[in-house]
Structure formats: C-alpha cells, structure tokens
Amino acid sequence: LNHDKDIIIVGCGAGGGTAAQFARKTDRKTSITVFEKGKYPQYSKCGLPYAISGRIPNVMDLIEFSEDWFKKSRIDLLLEATVEKIDPAKKIVYARKNNKIIEKSYGSLIICTGAKPSIPPIKNLFIGDKLVDGVFTLRTIDDVESLIPYVKKGRQVVIVGAGLIGMEMADNLHECGMRVTIVEALQNILPNNLDEDMSKTVLEGLPDDISVFTNHLMTSVEHDSGRIKKVIIKNNETGEEKTINADLLIISTGIKPETKLAEDIGCELGVTGRIKVNNKSETSIKNIYAVGDCTEFVDFITKKPVPVGLGSIVVRQGIAAGINAAGGEYSLPQGVLQTATSDFFGMEIGTVGPTPASMRNQRYISGKFQGLSLPEYYPGGKPITIKVFADEKNGKILGAQAVGDKAAQRINTFACAILADMDVETLRKLETAYAPPVAPTLDVVTLVCDIVSMKIKRKRQ
Ligand SMILES: Cc1cc2nc3c(=O)[nH]c(=O)nc-3n(C[C@H](O)[C@H](O)[C@H](O)COP(=O)(O)OP(=O)(O)OC[C@H]3O[C@@H](n4cnc5c(N)ncnc54)[C@H](O)[C@@H]3O)c2cc1C
C-alpha cells in the first residue's frame, strides 16, 4: 500500500483540529488520522474562564468540532490515543490506545502537541506529585470541571500571574462573588501586553474590592490536612512578607511547550525551546510540520523568534500546515503580529506588535491619545486610550496598545497597517467612518497617529 499522501496529526487542539480540517478541504480523498491523548475532540481553551462563571452555560459547549463532525469529514479521530514514538526514517507513528500499540504509516506528519501549564517553584505546592487540594491551573475541560466545586460566594481566591488568563479568571471568579487577590512578580499587570502607563489605566479601572500585589513573588503555600489555607508572598524590593488567606489558588504563570516527540526525532528547536517552524509551518525535517503552542516563529517587526501562544496564530499555522501537508500551497506572512485582545471588568484591551520588553531595544517614538468613542455632544461616548509606537527614522508603525471602547477593532486597524508596512503619516489621514451614534469624525486611531507624526517631525528638525 502506498502511504505517500496519508496525513497523520498528533494532537487535536486548535492547531491539530484546524490542520485536519484544512487538509481535508485541500484533498477530499487522502487518509487523515488524528491522535489525541485526551478525551475530547477540538474545543476552545479560550472559552474556559467563562464556563466557570456560567457566562458560557455548559463547558461542553466549548467543543467546536464534535466526533461526529470528524466522522462526516472522513477524518479518523482516535481519542485517548497517545503517540509514543515516531520513526521518521520508516515514516511510522506508534500510538498507545487501550494499552494496545497502533502502528500507522504517513506521508506527511503534523505535530500539534501544544503545551502544559508552567508551574513556578512555590514551596509546599505539591503533595507527592499532586497539587495541594484547592490549587488549580487552567488548560482543559477537566480543569474547569474540578475547579467549579471550589467556587463559592464569599470565599477567597488568590490568582498568581496577572497575564491575560489571570485577569480573565479574576473577572469571572469576582462575578461569582469570590474575594479576589492577584499576585504578579513583575512591576505591572499584563506585563507581556502593555507598557507601564497603559497597564496603570487598566489597574485604575479594576473594582475597588480586587486586591493587586505587583512586584511580589509567591514563595510558599500553607495547607491544612492537604487543603490550601494560605499563601505567602514577598515584596521583591523590600523583602517584606505577607500572608494571605486562600480557599482557592489559581496558577496562571504561562506555559511549557510539549516538544519531546519532536526532540526525539531530531526536529530543530529554537532559542525559546520550542519547535522551529517557517511560514509554511514546516519543521527542519522534510514532510514534518508543526503547529501551535509547541512552536516558535519570528516576530513580524523584530524578526526575532517568539513563542507561539495565541489561538489566533495557532489556527493560522494549522491552516498552513493542513493545506501544505495535503499537497497545496500556503504561506503565512513572514512573522507574527501578536495581535491580542481581552475584556475584563468591562474594560476591553487590545495589543499588536512586539511585547513591551522586546520593544525596549527598538528605536521608536511613541504617542498616546485619550479620547471618546463618540462625538463629545452625543451621550454615551466611552473612554478609549491608545498608544502607538513608530520607527523613529521612517515613521513605520511598529505596534499599538489600546484600553477602552472597541479596543480590539481599533487594534485590528493597526495590525492591518503593520502588515502593509504603513507609516503614521499615511494612517493619520485614514478616512474613518463617521456618524454621531457610532463614531466621531476623527477617530482616535488617526488622532494618536497625528501625535506620533508631529513628534517624529519635531525630532527631525
Ligand atoms: C484559559 C485560556 C484562555 C485563552 N484565551 C485565548 C484568547 O482569548 N485568545 C487567544 O488568541 N488565545 C488564547 N489562549 C491560547 C490558545 O488557547 C492556545 O494558543 C491554543 O489553544 C493552543 O492550541 P494547540 O493546538 O497548539 O495546543 P493544545 O490546545 O494544548 O492542544 C494540544 C493537544 O495535543 C494533545 N497531545 C499532546 N501530546 C500528545 C501525544 N503524544 N499524543 C496525542 N496527543 C497529544 C493534547 O492532549 C492536546 O489536546 C488561551 C489559552 C487558555 C489556556
């Protein structure tokens, strides 16, 4: 039998599921097999926080493509089947299901093994190899199901890590009536997304009953008969320690890529410790692709490798891998824009471009504008703050951050401008749609570019 065209996909998260879907669209006939070690077919991890508060009523609603969908698409989905070994010379995958080894040949292989939560070194966090009762990470449907019984009005939750997921969890657990404390080791909340001043705007918008400790490290936890009771945090500057009661502890401090299978077969890993891929999602081994949180790609602006960790990027990589593995042609742009958004406590935020930390090495000019989403005379206008970064020499837009009304839509305009290599001088003249109940004559998107453009001109004089 000739297996040259057969496609095997390892992992059925956003990456694997999308790759399968697009491989099938590209080749209606070829054999496609997906091995997934978990119990569920592709579901949205991004929706998990909202299934805790009940905004999404049933966690199973997050399943985007059911087993039936895979069947109808003639994709063999094997759940609770773990790929244990790949032989790239013979082009065979070995998976374990129900304690039996399944051997399957491939023509193209797509590795989409994702990541698991990364857990910082906090003392007493584990009993044996299990997290103390009442301590959770959030990555799977099972996590949500085991966490929900701990969510009770009036109870105290501590969230360690003030990234997007930590903030979304804070919002959803606050909505459930829990008393929320957020602990962040760095100087600001959302340190990977926002500059200090923009992060402060978010901090000021949080409800008064949320306690936030930035620049604090969680050092240890205390438990009573195995159940979490307290956490101990330490001020990074003064060394002062503080004890906080906790009925529930959520750890949202990033992810650790699952790269073992790829490493075992000699797939090249990059500087971030993830599988190196190009804009076709190809790895260093012919006919082997990789997609998702287990990979790194380059940033569109800095051209430096960055870890992939956003569903928006993962899905696009999945499209590329699926089409290319099935014999089509598909290339992504030469780098990721890292366009991201979220909404918590009624505040929408949006970002695009390199992270604030990597921006520090770039010679840029930034400008900020605070305005309203509607003309001043029209009731109901909401505040919106936008910060834009442009190259000091040529005014090319490098990135933008927004907090407030329709932040994501506005950031998408900047994403489009970056992809098109646009400068602030061009974007400031963008003719945006205007009608009093919808938007002002000059949108904040253009007004903030006016500021940056003027600053650049002044610098040149
Ligand atoms: C709570 C939360 C909220 C998020 N919110 C957003 C958001 O709002 N916007 C955004 O852009 N991104 C968001 N993300 C990130 C986004 O969800 C991830 O980038 C994306 O889901 C990663 O998809 P993936 O397929 O790479 O990995 P995963 O979803 O981790 O899938 C990998 C799959 O591979 C399986 N697997 C691993 N090893 C094997 C093996 N050996 N054999 C068989 N199967 C295997 C695993 O069981 C898993 O199902 C969020 C993430 C989380 C956790």
Side-chain angles (χ1 to χ4, degrees):
L1 259 176
N2 185 352
H3 295 287
D4 275 3
K5 291 188 123 195
D6 293 4
I7 298 171
I8 291 184
I9 298 170
V10 189
C12 194
T18 307
Q21 192 183 334
F22 278 81
R24 176 50 78 229
K25 280 187 189 176
T26 309
D27 187 332
R28 300 265 161 204
K29 290 203 184 112
T30 199
S31 149
I32 303 173
T33 307
V34 184
F35 291 104
E36 166 54 53
K37 74 175 172 190
K39 305 200 274 264
Y40 307 105
Q42 185 189 345
Y43 63 90
S44 167
K45 290 191 171 2
C46 310
L48 292 171
Y50 312 95
I52 293 170
S53 61
R55 272 186 231 172
I56 293 172
N58 185 340
V59 70
M60 293 304 166
D61 293 344
L62 296 177
I63 297 178
E64 294 175 296
F65 296 95
S66 62
E67 282 185 84
D68 202 38
W69 180 89
F70 281 92
K71 219 175 265 162
K72 280 189 185 137
S73 306
R74 287 167 292 109
I75 298 168
D76 289 326
L77 170 65
L78 284 90
L79 295 177
E80 297 181 88
T82 305
V83 172
E84 293 186 335
K85 203 177 123 192
I86 299 163
D87 184 334
K90 292 190 185 144
K91 291 188 154 187
I92 295 175
V93 155
Y94 303 87
R96 185 182 294 273
K97 183 172 165 71
N98 297 330
N99 254 330
K100 285 203 187 93
I101 296 292
I102 303 168
E103 231 183 273
K104 197 146 177 66
S105 298
Y106 65 82
S108 301
L109 176 71
I110 312 178
I111 300 176
C112 317
T113 42
K116 54 185 172 206
S118 137
I119 298 180
I122 299 170
K123 217 170 127 197
N124 300 331
L125 202 56
F126 285 89
I127 298 180
D129 59 356
K130 280 209 168 103
L131 283 169
V132 164
D133 188 14
V135 180
F136 293 93
T137 54
L138 186 74
R139 180 95 192 158
T140 62
I141 285 183
D142 291 344
D143 291 338
V144 169
E145 288 188 321
S146 17
L147 200 155
I148 282 175
Y150 293 76
V151 179
K152 297 252 156 63
K153 202 173 167 179
R155 280 195 187 168
Q156 178 91 33
V157 55
V158 178
I159 296 166
V160 55
L164 289 171
I165 297 173
M167 296 307 291
E168 288 169 5
M169 286 299 283
D171 182 20
N172 282 278
L173 292 170
H174 184 257
E175 187 171 313
C176 296
M178 293 195 83
R179 288 180 291 143
V180 178
T181 302
I182 301 167
V183 181
E184 167 58 53
L186 297 177
Q187 293 278 354
N188 309 297
I189 60 169
L190 300 166
N192 292 325
N193 306 93
L194 298 178
D195 269 19
E196 194 178 339
D197 54 339
M198 294 297 280
S199 161
K200 277 208 176 103
T201 308
V202 178
L203 196 65
E204 281 158 14
L206 296 181
D208 293 340
D209 59 346
I210 304 268
S211 308
V212 181
F213 293 92
T214 51
N215 208 9
H216 276 74
L217 208 62
M218 187 171 292
T219 51
S220 64
V221 303
E222 286 176 14
H223 45 87
D224 185 4
S225 317
R227 176 95 187 235
I228 182 91
K229 276 279 163 271
K230 291 177 170 59
V231 303
I232 290 112
I233 63 171
K234 190 167 144 191
N235 186 315
N236 286 333
E237 261 161 41
T238 62
E240 193 186 326
E241 287 198 333
K242 193 173 167 56
T243 303
I244 304 167
N245 291 335
D247 303 302
L248 173 64
L249 171 61
I250 308 285
I251 298 178
S252 52
T253 48
I255 54 174
K256 226 171 129 192
E258 291 270 18
T259 53
K260 183 160 187 318
L261 279 177
E263 266 182 283
D264 287 351
I265 55 171
C267 247
E268 194 183 340
L269 300 194
V271 290
T272 74
R274 289 154 170 87
I275 308 165
K276 222 172 157 172
V277 291
N278 62 15
N279 65 337
K280 292 182 172 164
S281 290
E282 292 166 328
T283 67
S284 59
I285 302 180
K286 196 165 179 310
N287 297 323
I288 300 187
Y289 300 80
V291 167
D293 287 1
C294 56
T295 69
E296 69 172 38
F297 190 29
V298 290
D299 178 86
F300 188 79
I301 295 285
T302 63
K303 304 297 177 209
K304 293 205 178 106
V306 286
V308 169
L310 284 169
S312 45
I313 301 172
V314 174
V315 163
R316 283 162 178 84
Q317 286 183 312
I319 295 173
I323 293 177
N324 292 328
E329 264 292 319
Y330 194 94
S331 304
L332 292 168
Q334 293 290 355
V336 289
L337 301 176
Q338 309 198 67
T339 321
T341 183
S342 193
D343 184 318
F344 27 81
F345 303 105
M347 262 180 298
E348 192 172 311
I349 72 141
T351 62
V352 64
T355 58
S358 49
M359 202 78 106
R360 259 173 233 139
N361 305 322
Q362 194 94 27
R363 293 187 73 81
Y364 65 80
I365 298 246
S366 71
K368 195 159 90 171
F369 187 84
Q370 214 161 0
L372 283 177
S373 58
L374 298 179
E376 291 215 7
Y377 59 79
Y378 197 95
K382 295 190 188 119
I384 164 94
T385 308
I386 301 203
K387 186 167 184 180
V388 172
F389 307 83
D391 190 300
E392 187 178 278
K393 283 201 297 294
N394 55 21
K396 288 265 166 72
I397 297 166
L398 304 171
Q401 301 172 8
V403 179
D405 193 63
K406 299 196 183 71
Q409 287 308 323
R410 292 185 161 99
I411 280 302
N412 286 343
T413 305
F414 286 100
C416 192
I418 295 172
L419 194 62
D421 235 9
M422 210 180 268
D423 58 17
V424 271
E425 199 50 37
T426 310
L427 192 59
R428 69 187 288 215
K429 293 168 192 155
L430 180 74
E431 183 188 310
T432 52
Y434 157 59
V438 184
T441 13
L442 298 173
D443 194 87
V444 286
V445 164
T446 61
L447 294 174
V448 69
C449 289
D450 282 346
I451 293 172
V452 181
S453 169
M454 277 185 290
K455 277 188 171 181
I456 291 177
K457 280 179 192 154
R458 231 178 279 140
K459 182 128 198 178
R460 277 187 201 145
Q461 276 164 11

